[in-house]
Amino acid sequence: MNLSYLLDPAHWDLGASGGIPMLILDHLGYVALALLAGTIIALPVGLYIGHTGKGSFIAINAGNAGRSLPTLGLLMLMVTLLGLGLLPVLIALTVLVIPPILTSSYAGMRNVDQRVVDAARGMGMHPWQVLTRVELPMALPVMMGGFRNAAIQVVATATVAAAVGRSGLGRLLIDGLAVNDYSRVLAGAIVVAALAVLVDLFLALIQRWIVSPGLKGLS
Amino acid sequence: MITFEDVVKVYPGGGTAVDHLSMELPTGKMTVLVGPSGCGKTTSLRMINRMIEPTAGRILIDGEDVTAKNEALLRRGIGYVIQHAGLFPHRTVLDNVATVPVLTGSTRRAARAKALELLERVGLPEQFAKRYPAQLSGGQQQRVGVARALAADPPIMLMDEPFSAVDPVVRLQLHDEFLRLQQDLGKTIVMVTHDIDEALKLGDRVAVLREGGHLAQFGTPRDLVTNPADDFVSGFVGRDRGLRGLSFDSAADLPVQAVDGLSLDDAGRPLGWPSDSGLRPTNGTFTKEDSLRTVTDLVISSPVGIAVRVGPDGAADGLVSHHDLADHLASRRS
Amino acid sequence: MITFEDVVKVYPGGGTAVDHLSMELPTGKMTVLVGPSGCGKTTSLRMINRMIEPTAGRILIDGEDVTAKNEALLRRGIGYVIQHAGLFPHRTVLDNVATVPVLTGSTRRAARAKALELLERVGLPEQFAKRYPAQLSGGQQQRVGVARALAADPPIMLMDEPFSAVDPVVRLQLHDEFLRLQQDLGKTIVMVTHDIDEALKLGDRVAVLREGGHLAQFGTPRDLVTNPADDFVSGFVGRDRGLRGLSFDSAADLPVQAVDGLSLDDAGRPLGWPSDSGLRPTNGTFTKEDSLRTVTDLVISSPVGIAVRVGPDGAADGLVSHHDLADHLASRRS
Amino acid sequence: ADSDPLADEPAASGAAGGAVTVGSANFPESQLLAEIYSQALEGKGVTVTRKFNIGAREVYLKALQDGSISLLPEYNGALLAALSPNGVPESATSPDAVLAELKKVLPTGTEVLTQSAAEDKDTLTVTAETATKNNLKTIEDLKTIAPTLVVGAGPEFAERHQGIKGLEEVYGLKFKEFKALDAGGPLTINALKDGDIQVANIYSTDSSIVTNKFVVLEDPKNLYSSQNVIPLIRTEANNATVTGALDAVSAKLTTENLTAYLAQVQVDKKDIAVVATAFLSENGLK
Amino acid sequence: MIQYLQNNHVIVWQALQEHLYLALLPILFGLVIALPLGYLPVRFPKLYHPLVNTFGVLYSIPSLALFVFLPVILGTKVLSPINVIVALTIYTVALLARTVADGLRAVDAVVVQAATAMGYRRLRRLIEVELPIALPVILAGLRVATVSNISLVSVGSLIGIGGLGQLFTRGFQLFYMEPILIGIILSVVLAGIADLIIVLVQRAITPWTRAA
Ligand SMILES: Nc1ncnc2c1ncn2[C@@H]1O[C@H](COP(=O)(O)OP(=O)(O)OP(=O)(O)O)[C@@H](O)[C@H]1O
Ligand SMILES: Nc1ncnc2c1ncn2[C@@H]1O[C@H](COP(=O)(O)OP(=O)(O)OP(=O)(O)O)[C@@H](O)[C@H]1O
Ligand SMILES: [Mg+2]
Ligand SMILES: [Mg+2]
C-alpha cells in the first residue's frame, strides 16, 4: 500500500482545483445538498406516517424499493435525460438518502410510547404541541440514527459523481483508476472513509446536543 | 360536582364498554371506580376530560356539559395521572411538573418555582428535580406523576391506577401520603383501580362497575361492605366482610373498664402485663379515634385477651376484654 | 432437604446480597422466602440451581453439595419458574412445556403427550396448546410457566415471584390452584415473594429476610404471626396480627350451642333468621374445618351476631354467639 | 499475483483447441472491434469468453498481463506511447515504423498480430464556431489562446504523453484547465457541444464529429502518430487458428468501414453484436 | 425498450445471471461470517462498540475503491469476480454483524435465564433459543443487506465486472436510455423478488411474530 499520493503536500494545496481540499469541499457539497433535499422530502412523509399510522405499509416498502434503485444506473439515466450538470448527481444521491431518513423518522414516531402521548393530550396540549414538544423530541434518537446512516452512505456513494465527470473525491478513484495510479485510489478511499467517520462524529455531537439526556439508552 | 347522565360508550367494532352510566361525584371528595379488568373504568374516566367521547348521554362538571368547552382548555383544568405515570422521558422531573403551567402561559421561571414546591409536597426533595424520569424508581415516578397533575392546581384530578406500578410496601406508603395530601387540598378526585382494598381505603365514594360497563353499586365504602347491592358486589368486596365492616365503626363509644392489673410507668403509660416470667407486652394500644377493627385485633393478639386504651398523652385510660367487645358488638344489632 | 450452610454472596462492586445464611428447607414442603425489595431473595433462590455461585458457604441438596454436579444436569433436575414466566416466545405453549423432557432425551412425541397432560393439570385446556405465549393472558402465561417447570417431574421447584404479574383476582385463583396441585405432587418448593399475605398463605415454612441479606426469622407462618422474632418481622407481618393468627386456629374445638331460632329447610339447612321484615340472611356458615378467623368474621357480619356451623351435609349443627367466641378466645390464654 | 490459485476461469490457457478471453476498453469502438474479433474466432471454432468494457488502457493492460484476458483490439501508436516510458522516438510516424518500435517494447508473453489499415486517431477537436472565431486549423493555432480554453478528455489524458504532457512538450500548449470526462464518450462530446469545454479529445472515427460539424485540428507535429487497429494477444493464447481468423479481420478493416459500422452503433443504436455480425458477413468472413 | 430487449436478450440475460450471482453469493458468505461475528459482542459485551465502529468504517469505504484494491490485497486478477464478491461480502458482514449482535442482545434476558435454568448449555441455548428469537431482527437486516447488495453490484461495471451495471455503462457510452432503464428495472425487480423471498421465508419460520 502506497501512501505517497495522500502524503504529498502538493495535493493538499488549498486553492488547486484538483487538490484534495477542493475535492473534499465539492464532495461535502453534494452530500449536504442531497441530505438537505432528502430530509425535506422524506422527513415530513415519515413523520406523518409515523404520527398517524396511516400508510405504514407504504413507508416500509417504499424504503426498501428506494434502496434497491442502483445509484450508478440512476445517475447515468439522469445524465442521459437531463444532460451534464449538478442536478442528475443530486437526484441520484437524494434517492439514496430518502429510504433511511423515511424509515427512521417513521420508526422513531412509531416507537414513541403511546402512554406518554396520551398523558400529553390529557394535559391539554394541542395536536401541534403534542407533535413538537413530545413526539418529535422522543423520536429524535431513532431519527438521528437513520440520518447518520444516510450520511455515511451518501459520503461513500457520492464518489460515483466522478463517473459522470463531476468533481468530488470520486475523482481520485476514477482518475487514479484511469491512469493506474493506485496510490491515488488509495488516497481517495482513505479520505472518503475518514470523511464519513468525521461526518458521523459531527452528527453524533449534534445528536448529543439536541437529544435529551433523559432518552439515553432508549435509542 | 361531576355528573354522568345516562352515559353510553360503544367502541366501533367492540362491545359496549360503558352502559347507561349515571352517577354524581361530589365536589371535594374522592370517588373511586373499581371493578374487574375490562369493565369500563378507564373508559368512564377518560370521558370526563374528553380523551374519549361518549356515544350517548352527557357528562357535566358543575352543571356545564364538558362538550361545551374547548378540549385542550378543558383538559388543562383537569389534572390527569395516567397508569405508569406517562412521564416525558426527555424532560427533567422539574420540567415534567412545570409542563401545564408553561402551557397555560406561566413564565418558565414561575412554573419551575411552583414545580419545586409541589415536588417537595409529594415527598421528593430538591435533588430529584434535575433528574430524568428514567433515573427514578417506580414509586418516585408515581409521585412525579401526581405532582405534575397538581401543578395547574386544577379543581379536578383524574387518576388511572396511579399506584399499580409499585410494590405493595411502597404502595401503602403512597396511599398514606396521598390521603394526607388530599386532606390539605380537598380536590375533586376520580380514581380508577381494580384493587378493592385500595378503593375502600382511599375512596369517599366507591363506584363498583361490572363487566359490560354496568354500575353495580355506588356508595360509601361502608355501604359496600355492610350493604352490598348484590352477589357481584359482595363477591368483589371479598371475604372478611364482617371484619372489614368494623373498620368503619369508631371505638369512641366502646365502654371500657378501669385500668387494673397493668404495669404502668410514672406517666401512666402501659409497660406490660405482669406474669410469672416477667412483663408480657401489650402488643399495642388503641385510642378513641381508632376503629373497632383495631380493637378486635388487639384483644385477640393480647397475651391476656385484653386491649388497652390510651389517651392523647399515651396514658392508659381503659381496658377492653373479649367479653366487653362481644357485648358491644352484640348490642349494635337490631 | 435443601441445606444452606453459612452461605454468603457478595456481588463484585455491590454490597453483600446474602449474609451468612443458614437454613434447612424440608423435603416435600413449600418454603417461601419473603422480604423487602433488594434483600437477597432472588439471589438466595438462584444459588440453589447455580445460576449464581455463592461467595462462601455451601448449599446441599439431600446432603450433596450442588457444586459437585454438572451445572446443566443439576438444572434439568430442578424446575424453575421465573418472574414474568420467561416463556419462549418462538415456541408454542405445548413446546414450551415439552422443553426439558426433550432436552433430557425424551422423544418429541412423548414429551408433547406429557406436556398436554400437564397443561390440563394447570387448568389450560387442549385448545391452548397450539398457541404462542403472546396469545395468552398474563395469568395463563403463569400457568404455562408452572407447567413447564413441572414437565421434567423434578423433585425440586424454584419459583421467583411466580404470581406477581397478574391482577389480584387472578392471583387468588392461581394460589388456590397451586395449593391443590402441591397437595397432589408434594414437591420440595422454594418460592420467593415480597407479599407477606402470599407467603403466609402458601408457605409451609417462611424465611423472612431483611436488608443486607440477613435471615430475620425462619419458621412456620404461625410462628411468624404469633411469635415474631423482632420488630422487623412483626412490622413486616403487619397489622391485624391478632386476626391473622386466628387463621391458624381450627374451629374444631369451638363449643357450640344447640340450633335454635333459625329457619331451616327440610334437610336442616339454614334459610335465615326470622325477623319482622322477613328472613335475614345468615351471611354464610362455617364447618369444623374452618379457622377461628372465619368464625370471627361470620359472627361479626351476622345480622344477629350469631354464626351458624354446618355439618358435611350442609345441615346446621350448632350456633356460636359473640360471647361464645369471646369465651373460647379468652380461654385459650395462659 | 502472476499465478493465482483462485482464478476462476481458464482465461490464460492457450489450449490447443483454442480458448480466448477477449477484452475491450470502455468505449464503443473498442467493444465493437472486440466483438468482431470474438465472432471471427468463434467462427473458427475457438471458445471465446467476453470481458468487455474494462476501462482505460492502464487498466486493461494490467488485466492482459495477469491473464484475466488474452486478446484485445489495440491502436499501435497509442499502445506504443503507453509502453514507452521515455517517450516515443521522433522517427516513428509511419504505421510500419510504429509497429517496429512497438514490437520492441511489448511486455513479455504478449505479441501483436498483423495490423489493419483502419486508423482511429486521438484528435483535438473544437466546435465549428470556435474554429471560425479563432481561425483554428491546426493544434499549433491554439498556442495563443490555449490559456483561455478548457480541454476535456478521459481522466487518463492528464497523464499521458499523448495528452496534456505531450501537448505541452510538443506544441508548448498550456490550457486554462483540464476537465476529466470520458474517453471520447458522450460526456466529452456533450460538454463540447454545451460549451463546458472548448477543446475535446475525440476519436477520429467518431460519428459525432460529422453530426455536430466539429472541426478536427490537424496534427502537424505528429503527436498522434499512426493509430492502426491491431490485435494484442497473449502468446500462449495464440495459435494458427487464432492468427488466421484475426488476420482475416485486419485485412478487411479500413478507416471508412470502421467509421460506418461504428456509426450504426452510436447513431442507430444498433446492438454491437448485430453490427459485428454484419461486418463479418458483409466482408465475406462468415 | 422492447426493441432493445429483442436485439440484446442474450447480453441482458447474461448480465442478469452475473448480477444475481455477484449479489447473492456475498449474502450467503456474509451471513455465515456475520453470525459468529455478531455473537462475539453478546458473549463479550466490551467488544460491542469497537466492533460496531469498525463495521461503520468498513461500510464507509467507497465500493469502487474496494473493487480496485482487493486484487492488490488478495492477489486476485483484476477482472476476477472474486473481487466484487469479497467486497460485497465485507459490506454484508458490516451490516449484518451489527444486526445479529443487536438482535441477540435484544433477546429478553428473562427468557435466556429461563433457558439456562432449564439446563441448556451455552451453544444449544444459542441455537435453539436466542437465535430463533433474534430471527425477525436478523432477517430485517438481511433484507436491507440483500437489497443494497443487488444495487451495489452495478458499481463493478466501472471496472468491467458489474452484471446489470454493464447495461448502464453501455447505455451511457452511447448516450442511450434504453439499456440503462432496462438495467435499473431488472435490478429493482431482482431486489424486489429477493426481498419477497426473504419475507416469505420469514413468515414461514417465525410464525410466532404474527401471534398476539
Ligand atoms: N379503543 C378501543 N377500541 C375497542 N374496544 C376498546 C377500546 N378501548 C377499550 N375497549 C374495550 O372496552 C372495554 C372497557 O375497556 P376499559 O379500558 O375501559 O376497561 P378497564 O375497566 O379500564 O380495564 P382494565 O382494568 O383492564 O384497565 C374492554 O372490553 C375493552 O376491551
Ligand atoms: N448482578 C448483580 N450485581 C451487583 N449487585 C446485584 C446483582 N444482582 C443483585 N444485586 C444486588 O444484590 C441485592 C439483592 O438482590 P436480589 O435480586 O437478590 O434482591 P431481591 O430480594 O430478589 O429483590 P426484589 O424483591 O426487588 O426482586 C440488591 O441490593 C441488588 O441490588
Ligand atoms: Mg384501565
Ligand atoms: Mg427478586
Side-chain angles (χ1 to χ4, degrees), chain A residues 69-80 92, chain E residues 151 154 165 168 180-181 183-184:
Chain A
L69 275 175
T71 307
L72 183 68
L74 200 61
L75 180 59
M76 290 179 165
L77 183 69
M78 287 302 145
V79 171
T80 53
Chain E
S151 78
S154 51
F168 303 158
I180 305 182
L181 212 53
I184 292 178

Side-chain angles (χ1 to χ4, degrees), chain B residues 34-39 41 83 161 164 171 193-196 211 236, chain C residues 84 137-143 162-175 195 198 201:
Chain B
V34 69
S37 191
C39 70
K41 305 180 293 294
Q83 204 170 347
E161 310 208 15
S164 65
R171 193 186 305 186
T193 179
H194 51 229
D195 178 351
I196 184 70
E211 284 89 357
F236 201 75
Chain C
H84 300 294
S137 76
Q140 289 163 342
Q141 291 188 19
Q142 297 284 10
R143 287 173 213 212
F163 306 120
S164 66
V166 288
D167 75 43
V169 179
V170 177
R171 192 185 307 186
L172 289 179
Q173 204 178 322
L174 288 175
H175 284 168
D195 178 351
E198 193 168 86
K201 179 171 174 192

Side-chain angles (χ1 to χ4, degrees), chain C residues 38 41-43 83 160-161 192:
Chain C
K41 305 179 295 291
T42 298
T43 305
Q83 202 171 345
D160 196 349
E161 311 209 16
V192 161

Side-chain angles (χ1 to χ4, degrees), chain E residues 29-80:
Chain E
F29 296 148
L31 193 60
V32 169
I33 299 171
L35 283 175
L37 216 52
Y39 176 65
L40 274 184
V42 179
R43 187 71 211 283
F44 309 104
K46 280 206 181 112
L47 289 181
Y48 181 77
H49 285 287
L51 232 63
V52 164
N53 291 333
T54 311
F55 293 143
V57 173
L58 281 182
Y59 201 69
S60 62
I61 300 175
S63 48
L64 181 57
L66 260 192
F67 293 158
V68 172
F69 266 103
L70 282 171
V72 183
I73 298 166
L74 302 176
T76 41
K77 296 178 179 174
V78 291
L79 293 184
S80 166

